[in-house]
Every structure is written in C-alpha cells, then in structure tokens.
Amino acid sequence: MIAHGWELHSTQDGSDKFYRVLVIDTVTLVNYGPRNTTGQFVAHCFAGVGDAVRTAQEKARILTNEKAAKGYRITRDFTEFPVDRSYAVLLAALGHGSHRANRIPARIRETIVARFRRAAAEQDTARAGASL
C-alpha cells in the first residue's frame, strides 16, 4: 500500500529537533525528537471513523500547521512511499484514539521511517537540513 509523509525541523532557541508526519491508511503516525535520533512515536488512529483516511490526513495537516506556526520548516516535502499492508493493520489495531506507539515493534517503526527516507531521496523531496 502507498503511504505518504513529510518532515519538519526546528533549530530555534538552540534546539535541533525534527517532527515527522506519516499517514498510513487510517493512522497518522507522528515521530519526533532531537535530530538524528530515533525519537518518539505517537499513533493517532481513526479506524471506525466515517472517512478514516480523510480524517487521518486532516489530523496530519493540523499537526503540521501547528508546528509551522512554531517556526518548524519543511525539510522533507510530501513523499509517497510503500508500506506493507500488515503494518497498517498492526497500527490500526491500536484502536481509535491517540497512543504512544511503543506497542509497535521497533523494527516496524524503523522500517516505516527508512522507507519514507529512501523514497524522499529517490523522489528528490528531501531539502537541506533533513535528518539522517
């Protein structure tokens, strides 16, 4: 299945942190933390909501606008990337609401992020300052 995502960074007030938004079917997966770390993950699940995919996309837009208002800038623009359907099912199984994604195995979280980064490099959507 095809997912999409983008990434923002902030270096305000001496910080150096990223905020990554990945929309995977009915889930908005947010990954954030200091640059060049794995960071933390939060999954916003909308399974069972009328138009769950559109709701997940809207949540992603709202979160992105909130960060942009705080001075974050895009360092990886809109990027489509492949995700195994089994990963989407696993994320959706968290149930409706917001969840710390530590219940999702680290290798799956890392695989999703790696596929996003690889696709951003291939599609030339990574900008100067993107995290490693």
Side-chain angles (χ1 to χ4, degrees), residues 11-31:
T11 55
Q12 289 189 335
D13 302 323
S15 69
D16 191 4
K17 51 193 174 183
F18 71 92
Y19 192 82
R20 188 175 292 128
V21 180
L22 309 168
V23 179
I24 303 165
D25 197 31
T26 62
V27 176
T28 302
L29 184 62
V30 177
N31 176 212

Side-chain angles (χ1 to χ4, degrees), residues 45-63:
C45 302
F46 301 100
V49 173
D51 186 348
V53 173
R54 181 169 291 155
T55 303
Q57 293 169 344
E58 179 64 14
K59 179 67 172 181
R61 186 189 64 74
I62 290 167
L63 293 170

Side-chain angles (χ1 to χ4, degrees), residues 32-33 59 71 74-75 81 94 110 112 115:
Y32 61 94
K59 179 67 172 181
I74 291 191
T75 52
F81 63 101
L94 292 171
E110 292 164 7
I112 291 170
R115 288 182 181 176

Side-chain angles (χ1 to χ4, degrees), residues 10-129:
S10 174
T11 55
Q12 289 189 335
D13 302 323
S15 69
D16 191 4
K17 51 193 174 183
F18 71 92
Y19 192 82
R20 188 175 292 128
V21 180
L22 309 168
V23 179
I24 303 165
D25 197 31
T26 62
V27 176
T28 302
L29 184 62
V30 177
N31 176 212
Y32 61 94
R35 182 189 299 268
N36 300 327
T37 68
T38 303
Q40 298 179 51
F41 289 81
V42 175
H44 302 277
C45 302
F46 301 100
V49 173
D51 186 348
V53 173
R54 181 169 291 155
T55 303
Q57 293 169 344
E58 179 64 14
K59 179 67 172 181
R61 186 189 64 74
I62 290 167
L63 293 170
T64 300
N65 288 343
E66 288 172 356
K67 289 299 178 183
K70 292 179 180 180
Y72 280 71
R73 61 180 172 52
I74 291 191
T75 52
R76 281 194 176 89
D77 213 338
F78 181 88
T79 304
E80 291 185 339
F81 63 101
V83 173
D84 297 347
R85 178 154 297 284
S86 63
Y87 294 178
V89 169
L90 185 62
L91 288 168
L94 292 171
H96 181 71
S98 297
H99 310 276
R100 291 275 176 215
N102 58 359
R103 294 184 351 209
I104 303 296
R107 68 173 175 75
I108 291 175
R109 296 189 312 250
E110 292 164 7
T111 297
I112 291 170
V113 170
R115 288 182 181 176
F116 166 68
R117 288 179 176 161
R118 188 173 331 126
E122 291 168 357
Q123 296 170 32
D124 201 27
T125 58
R127 299 180 182 177

